[in-house]
Amino acid sequence: MNTFVRRTLAAVAMAAAIISPVVVSPVLAQDWRQQFPELNIGISSGENEADAIARNQGYAAYLSKKLGVPVNVVRGTDYAAVVEAMRAGQVQFASIGPANYALAHKVMGDLITPVAVQRDKEGALGYYSVIAVRADSPYQSIEDIKGKSFAFADPNSTSGYAVPSYYLSTVLGTSADEYFGEVAFSGGHEQSVIALVNGTFEAVATHQTNDHSGNIPRMTEKGMIPAGSTRIIWTSPLIPNSPVVMRTDLPEELKKAFTDAIFAFPAEDPKAFEELTSGNSKGYAPATHQDYLDVIAITEYNAEQRRKNG
Protein backbone atom coordinates (compact mmCIF):
# COMPACT_ATOMS: atom_id res chain seq x y z
CA MET A 1 0.00 0.00 0.00
CA ASN A 2 2.07 2.93 1.26
CA THR A 3 5.48 3.33 -0.32
CA PHE A 4 7.00 5.00 2.72
CA VAL A 5 5.45 2.37 5.01
CA ARG A 6 6.94 -0.51 3.10
CA ARG A 7 10.35 1.13 2.80
CA THR A 8 10.75 1.98 6.48
CA LEU A 9 9.03 -1.05 7.96
CA ALA A 10 10.40 -3.71 5.65
CA ALA A 11 12.03 -5.40 8.63
CA VAL A 12 8.92 -5.42 10.77
CA ALA A 13 7.55 -8.95 11.16
CA MET A 14 3.77 -8.87 10.92
CA ALA A 15 1.45 -11.87 11.15
CA ALA A 16 -2.24 -11.90 10.34
CA ALA A 17 -4.55 -12.81 13.17
CA ILE A 18 -6.15 -16.21 12.66
CA ILE A 19 -9.76 -15.99 13.72
CA SER A 20 -11.31 -19.29 14.64
CA PRO A 21 -14.99 -19.60 13.84
CA VAL A 22 -17.30 -19.67 16.82
CA VAL A 23 -19.30 -22.89 16.99
CA VAL A 24 -22.92 -22.17 17.88
CA SER A 25 -25.48 -24.80 18.79
CA PRO A 26 -28.67 -24.98 16.68
CA VAL A 27 -30.71 -23.69 19.62
CA LEU A 28 -28.54 -20.59 20.04
CA ALA A 29 -28.51 -20.03 16.28
CA GLN A 30 -32.30 -19.97 16.20
CA ASP A 31 -32.89 -17.61 19.09
CA TRP A 32 -30.06 -15.08 18.95
CA ARG A 33 -32.72 -12.35 19.11
CA GLN A 34 -33.55 -13.51 22.64
CA GLN A 35 -29.91 -12.98 23.59
CA PHE A 36 -29.77 -9.66 21.71
CA PRO A 37 -33.23 -8.04 21.77
CA GLU A 38 -31.53 -4.90 20.48
CA LEU A 39 -28.14 -4.15 18.94
CA ASN A 40 -25.74 -1.19 18.96
CA ILE A 41 -23.52 -0.06 16.12
CA GLY A 42 -20.76 2.36 17.09
CA ILE A 43 -19.37 5.11 14.92
CA SER A 44 -16.12 7.04 15.35
CA SER A 45 -16.38 10.15 13.24
CA GLY A 46 -14.61 13.46 12.87
CA GLU A 47 -17.97 14.97 12.01
CA ASN A 48 -20.00 16.78 14.67
CA GLU A 49 -22.36 14.56 16.65
CA ALA A 50 -25.67 15.92 15.32
CA ASP A 51 -24.71 15.52 11.66
CA ALA A 52 -23.03 12.16 12.19
CA ILE A 53 -26.08 10.71 13.96
CA ALA A 54 -28.44 12.16 11.35
CA ARG A 55 -26.50 10.58 8.48
CA ASN A 56 -26.66 7.18 10.21
CA GLN A 57 -30.38 7.11 11.04
CA GLY A 58 -31.46 5.55 7.73
CA TYR A 59 -28.62 3.04 8.07
CA ALA A 60 -29.84 2.04 11.54
CA ALA A 61 -33.45 1.81 10.35
CA TYR A 62 -32.40 -0.43 7.47
CA LEU A 63 -30.42 -2.74 9.77
CA SER A 64 -33.32 -2.86 12.24
CA LYS A 65 -35.63 -4.02 9.46
CA LYS A 66 -33.19 -6.59 8.09
CA LEU A 67 -32.17 -8.04 11.46
CA GLY A 68 -35.57 -7.92 13.10
CA VAL A 69 -34.45 -6.11 16.27
CA PRO A 70 -33.86 -2.40 17.01
CA VAL A 71 -30.40 -1.21 16.00
CA ASN A 72 -29.12 1.91 17.76
CA VAL A 73 -26.36 4.23 16.53
CA VAL A 74 -23.82 5.05 19.26
CA ARG A 75 -21.26 7.80 18.60
CA GLY A 76 -18.23 7.79 20.87
CA THR A 77 -17.13 10.94 22.64
CA ASP A 78 -13.76 10.26 21.01
CA TYR A 79 -12.31 7.52 18.81
CA ALA A 80 -11.15 5.35 21.71
CA ALA A 81 -14.60 5.39 23.33
CA VAL A 82 -16.07 3.24 20.56
CA VAL A 83 -13.30 0.68 21.01
CA GLU A 84 -13.89 0.59 24.75
CA ALA A 85 -17.63 0.10 24.20
CA MET A 86 -16.92 -2.81 21.86
CA ARG A 87 -14.48 -4.37 24.29
CA ALA A 88 -17.09 -4.11 27.06
CA GLY A 89 -19.71 -5.77 24.85
CA GLN A 90 -21.92 -2.69 24.80
CA VAL A 91 -21.47 -2.34 21.03
CA GLN A 92 -21.60 -5.33 18.71
CA PHE A 93 -20.70 -3.68 15.40
CA ALA A 94 -18.92 -0.48 14.45
CA SER A 95 -17.63 1.72 11.65
CA ILE A 96 -14.17 2.89 12.70
CA GLY A 97 -11.04 4.33 11.13
CA PRO A 98 -8.03 2.14 10.26
CA ALA A 99 -5.89 3.36 13.20
CA ASN A 100 -8.87 2.92 15.49
CA TYR A 101 -9.14 -0.65 14.23
CA ALA A 102 -5.45 -1.08 15.07
CA LEU A 103 -6.23 0.05 18.61
CA ALA A 104 -9.25 -2.26 18.79
CA HIS A 105 -7.24 -5.25 17.63
CA LYS A 106 -4.51 -4.42 20.13
CA VAL A 107 -6.92 -4.47 23.09
CA MET A 108 -9.41 -7.09 21.80
CA GLY A 109 -7.29 -9.43 19.70
CA ASP A 110 -9.33 -12.01 17.83
CA LEU A 111 -12.58 -10.75 19.39
CA ILE A 112 -12.85 -8.18 16.59
CA THR A 113 -12.68 -8.56 12.82
CA PRO A 114 -13.27 -6.37 9.76
CA VAL A 115 -16.32 -7.25 7.66
CA ALA A 116 -16.59 -4.74 4.84
CA VAL A 117 -15.12 -1.54 3.45
CA GLN A 118 -16.71 1.10 1.23
CA ARG A 119 -15.66 1.71 -2.35
CA ASP A 120 -15.68 5.31 -3.54
CA LYS A 121 -17.55 6.39 -6.68
CA GLU A 122 -14.61 5.32 -8.84
CA GLY A 123 -14.35 1.98 -7.07
CA ALA A 124 -11.23 2.83 -5.05
CA LEU A 125 -10.80 1.42 -1.54
CA GLY A 126 -8.65 4.14 -0.01
CA TYR A 127 -8.33 7.77 1.01
CA TYR A 128 -5.58 10.20 2.04
CA SER A 129 -4.28 12.15 4.97
CA VAL A 130 -3.79 15.78 3.98
CA ILE A 131 -2.32 18.87 5.60
CA ALA A 132 -4.35 22.00 4.98
CA VAL A 133 -3.54 25.68 5.39
CA ARG A 134 -5.64 28.80 4.84
CA ALA A 135 -5.91 29.66 1.16
CA ASP A 136 -4.58 33.17 1.78
CA SER A 137 -1.46 31.92 3.61
CA PRO A 138 1.98 31.96 1.96
CA TYR A 139 2.66 28.27 2.76
CA GLN A 140 3.08 25.95 -0.23
CA SER A 141 4.70 22.85 1.26
CA ILE A 142 5.20 20.98 4.51
CA GLU A 143 8.65 22.55 4.73
CA ASP A 144 7.04 26.01 4.79
CA ILE A 145 5.10 25.29 8.01
CA LYS A 146 8.11 24.39 10.11
CA GLY A 147 7.87 26.32 13.36
CA LYS A 148 4.19 27.18 12.82
CA SER A 149 1.15 26.19 14.89
CA PHE A 150 -0.36 22.83 13.97
CA ALA A 151 -3.38 20.73 14.99
CA PHE A 152 -3.94 16.99 14.86
CA ALA A 153 -7.52 15.71 15.11
CA ASP A 154 -7.47 12.78 17.57
CA PRO A 155 -4.70 10.48 18.88
CA ASN A 156 -6.50 7.49 17.32
CA SER A 157 -7.25 9.11 13.96
CA THR A 158 -5.42 7.60 11.01
CA SER A 159 -5.36 10.64 8.74
CA GLY A 160 -5.59 13.17 11.54
CA TYR A 161 -2.60 11.84 13.50
CA ALA A 162 -1.03 8.44 12.78
CA VAL A 163 -0.02 8.88 9.14
CA PRO A 164 1.28 12.49 9.31
CA SER A 165 3.19 11.66 12.51
CA TYR A 166 4.76 8.67 10.80
CA TYR A 167 5.76 10.80 7.81
CA LEU A 168 7.38 13.43 10.04
CA SER A 169 9.44 10.76 11.77
CA THR A 170 10.43 8.47 8.91
CA VAL A 171 10.77 10.91 6.03
CA LEU A 172 11.68 14.22 7.70
CA GLY A 173 13.51 12.62 10.63
CA THR A 174 11.73 14.68 13.25
CA SER A 175 8.60 14.76 15.44
CA ALA A 176 5.65 17.09 15.60
CA ASP A 177 6.86 18.59 18.89
CA GLU A 178 10.25 19.33 17.35
CA TYR A 179 9.02 20.47 13.95
CA PHE A 180 6.13 22.78 14.82
CA GLY A 181 6.09 25.82 17.08
CA GLU A 182 2.85 24.71 18.73
CA VAL A 183 1.05 21.36 18.54
CA ALA A 184 -2.42 20.43 19.82
CA PHE A 185 -5.24 17.94 19.38
CA SER A 186 -8.38 19.75 18.28
CA GLY A 187 -10.76 16.93 19.25
CA GLY A 188 -11.94 16.13 15.72
CA HIS A 189 -11.53 16.83 12.01
CA GLU A 190 -14.21 19.50 11.84
CA GLN A 191 -12.82 21.25 14.90
CA SER A 192 -9.37 21.30 13.26
CA VAL A 193 -10.60 22.94 10.06
CA ILE A 194 -12.77 25.49 11.86
CA ALA A 195 -9.78 26.42 14.03
CA LEU A 196 -7.66 26.73 10.88
CA VAL A 197 -10.13 29.03 9.14
CA ASN A 198 -10.52 31.10 12.32
CA GLY A 199 -6.76 31.56 12.60
CA THR A 200 -6.15 29.49 15.73
CA PHE A 201 -3.76 27.21 13.84
CA GLU A 202 -1.68 27.77 10.73
CA ALA A 203 -1.94 24.17 9.50
CA VAL A 204 -4.01 21.09 10.34
CA ALA A 205 -4.17 17.40 9.43
CA THR A 206 -7.42 15.98 8.09
CA HIS A 207 -8.72 13.52 5.47
CA GLN A 208 -9.71 13.63 1.82
CA THR A 209 -10.61 11.11 -0.87
CA ASN A 210 -10.51 13.54 -3.80
CA ASP A 211 -11.34 17.17 -4.55
CA HIS A 212 -15.03 16.46 -4.10
CA SER A 213 -15.02 14.04 -1.16
CA GLY A 214 -13.52 14.39 2.29
CA ASN A 215 -13.76 16.47 5.41
CA ILE A 216 -13.20 19.90 3.84
CA PRO A 217 -15.54 19.36 0.84
CA ARG A 218 -18.26 18.12 3.21
CA MET A 219 -17.83 21.07 5.57
CA THR A 220 -18.00 23.44 2.60
CA GLU A 221 -21.16 21.77 1.32
CA LYS A 222 -22.77 22.11 4.76
CA GLY A 223 -21.85 25.80 4.92
CA MET A 224 -19.54 25.36 7.88
CA ILE A 225 -16.60 27.07 6.13
CA PRO A 226 -16.44 29.38 3.09
CA ALA A 227 -15.72 27.74 -0.25
CA GLY A 228 -12.07 28.07 -1.20
CA SER A 229 -10.97 29.10 2.29
CA THR A 230 -8.36 26.32 2.60
CA ARG A 231 -5.61 24.80 0.49
CA ILE A 232 -3.90 21.38 0.60
CA ILE A 233 -0.09 21.46 0.80
CA TRP A 234 0.67 17.79 1.54
CA THR A 235 -1.01 14.50 0.64
CA SER A 236 -0.06 11.08 2.02
CA PRO A 237 0.16 7.78 0.17
CA LEU A 238 -3.11 5.87 -0.06
CA ILE A 239 -4.68 4.65 3.22
CA PRO A 240 -7.19 1.75 3.24
CA ASN A 241 -10.75 2.92 3.84
CA SER A 242 -12.38 2.62 7.24
CA PRO A 243 -13.72 -0.87 7.97
CA VAL A 244 -17.08 -2.00 9.27
CA VAL A 245 -16.15 -4.36 12.12
CA MET A 246 -17.90 -6.79 14.43
CA ARG A 247 -17.26 -8.85 17.53
CA THR A 248 -16.36 -12.43 16.61
CA ASP A 249 -18.05 -13.99 19.64
CA LEU A 250 -21.54 -13.15 18.39
CA PRO A 251 -23.87 -15.98 17.32
CA GLU A 252 -23.02 -17.21 13.84
CA GLU A 253 -26.52 -16.54 12.52
CA LEU A 254 -26.32 -12.93 13.70
CA LYS A 255 -22.91 -12.42 12.12
CA LYS A 256 -24.13 -13.84 8.83
CA ALA A 257 -27.33 -11.78 8.90
CA PHE A 258 -25.35 -8.59 9.58
CA THR A 259 -22.79 -9.30 6.86
CA ASP A 260 -25.49 -10.09 4.31
CA ALA A 261 -27.34 -6.91 5.27
CA ILE A 262 -24.24 -4.73 4.81
CA PHE A 263 -23.54 -5.97 1.29
CA ALA A 264 -27.22 -5.70 0.29
CA PHE A 265 -27.58 -2.19 1.74
CA PRO A 266 -26.76 -0.08 -1.38
CA ALA A 267 -29.25 -1.98 -3.56
CA GLU A 268 -32.01 -2.49 -1.01
CA ASP A 269 -32.08 1.01 0.48
CA PRO A 270 -30.23 3.34 -1.92
CA LYS A 271 -31.64 6.48 -0.30
CA ALA A 272 -30.33 5.60 3.16
CA PHE A 273 -27.02 4.46 1.66
CA GLU A 274 -26.63 7.77 -0.18
CA GLU A 275 -27.39 9.68 3.05
CA LEU A 276 -24.79 7.65 4.94
CA THR A 277 -22.08 8.14 2.34
CA SER A 278 -23.08 11.63 1.12
CA GLY A 279 -23.36 10.07 -2.32
CA ASN A 280 -19.63 9.34 -2.46
CA SER A 281 -19.67 5.53 -2.47
CA LYS A 282 -20.73 2.84 -4.91
CA GLY A 283 -20.97 0.00 -2.39
CA TYR A 284 -18.94 -2.37 -0.24
CA ALA A 285 -16.08 -4.79 -0.71
CA PRO A 286 -14.98 -7.53 1.72
CA ALA A 287 -12.38 -6.47 4.30
CA THR A 288 -9.85 -8.58 6.20
CA HIS A 289 -7.36 -8.06 8.99
CA GLN A 290 -4.52 -8.31 6.49
CA ASP A 291 -5.76 -5.16 4.74
CA TYR A 292 -4.73 -3.12 7.80
CA LEU A 293 -1.30 -4.56 8.59
CA ASP A 294 0.46 -1.45 7.28
CA VAL A 295 -1.68 0.83 9.43
CA ILE A 296 -1.10 -1.41 12.46
CA ALA A 297 2.64 -1.18 11.79
CA ILE A 298 2.40 2.63 11.60
CA THR A 299 0.56 2.87 14.93
CA GLU A 300 3.06 0.52 16.59
CA TYR A 301 5.97 2.53 15.20
CA ASN A 302 4.43 5.80 16.44
CA ALA A 303 3.86 4.30 19.89
CA GLU A 304 7.47 3.14 20.06
CA GLN A 305 8.69 6.61 19.10
CA ARG A 306 6.56 8.18 21.82
CA ARG A 307 8.04 5.78 24.37
CA LYS A 308 11.56 6.62 23.25
CA ASN A 309 10.85 10.35 23.44
CA GLY A 310 9.25 10.10 26.85
Side-chain angles (χ1 to χ4, degrees), residues 136-168:
D136 60 0
S137 77
Y139 314 128
Q140 301 296 324
S141 69
I142 195 169
E143 287 76 18
D144 293 339
I145 57 173
K146 184 176 182 179
K148 309 304 179 182
S149 57
F150 185 86
F152 291 116
D154 183 282
N156 291 301
S157 170
T158 315
S159 58
Y161 176 69
V163 168
S165 292
Y166 182 83
Y167 179 87
L168 285 168

Side-chain angles (χ1 to χ4, degrees), residues 43-59 73 75 190-191 194 215 217-225 272 274-278:
I43 56 172
S44 60
S45 171
E47 192 174 18
N48 68 84
E49 183 173 7
D51 289 348
I53 293 294
R55 282 197 309 108
N56 279 270
Q57 287 308 304
Y59 177 41
V73 175
R75 182 181 183 275
E190 288 186 345
Q191 292 95 317
I194 289 173
N215 183 44
R218 177 179 286 166
M219 292 179 68
T220 303
E221 183 180 340
K222 293 192 295 186
M224 297 179 69
I225 57 172
E274 184 171 357
E275 289 175 351
L276 176 69
T277 64
S278 299

Side-chain angles (χ1 to χ4, degrees), residues 132-259:
V133 298
R134 288 187 299 280
D136 60 0
S137 77
Y139 314 128
Q140 301 296 324
S141 69
I142 195 169
E143 287 76 18
D144 293 339
I145 57 173
K146 184 176 182 179
K148 309 304 179 182
S149 57
F150 185 86
F152 291 116
D154 183 282
N156 291 301
S157 170
T158 315
S159 58
Y161 176 69
V163 168
S165 292
Y166 182 83
Y167 179 87
L168 285 168
S169 178
T170 60
V171 177
L172 297 186
T174 185
S175 68
D177 288 336
E178 294 174 345
Y179 197 74
F180 300 113
E182 176 189 354
V183 182
F185 285 102
S186 70
H189 287 272
E190 288 186 345
Q191 292 95 317
S192 289
V193 175
I194 289 173
L196 172 68
V197 173
N198 290 343
T200 305
F201 297 103
E202 292 170 282
V204 301
T206 188
H207 63 83
Q208 185 163 302
T209 301
N210 51 53
D211 291 340
H212 310 291
S213 176
N215 183 44
I216 291 174
R218 177 179 286 166
M219 292 179 68
T220 303
E221 183 180 340
K222 293 192 295 186
M224 297 179 69
I225 57 172
S229 59
T230 66
R231 179 162 39 82
I232 304 303
I233 62 168
W234 176 82
T235 301
S236 76
L238 193 68
I239 303 167
N241 276 341
S242 300
V244 178
V245 299
M246 67 181 173
R247 288 187 60 99
T248 58
D249 58 352
L250 298 172
E252 287 297 317
E253 288 295 314
L254 170 55
K255 291 192 290 187
K256 183 179 186 305
F258 177 78
T259 302

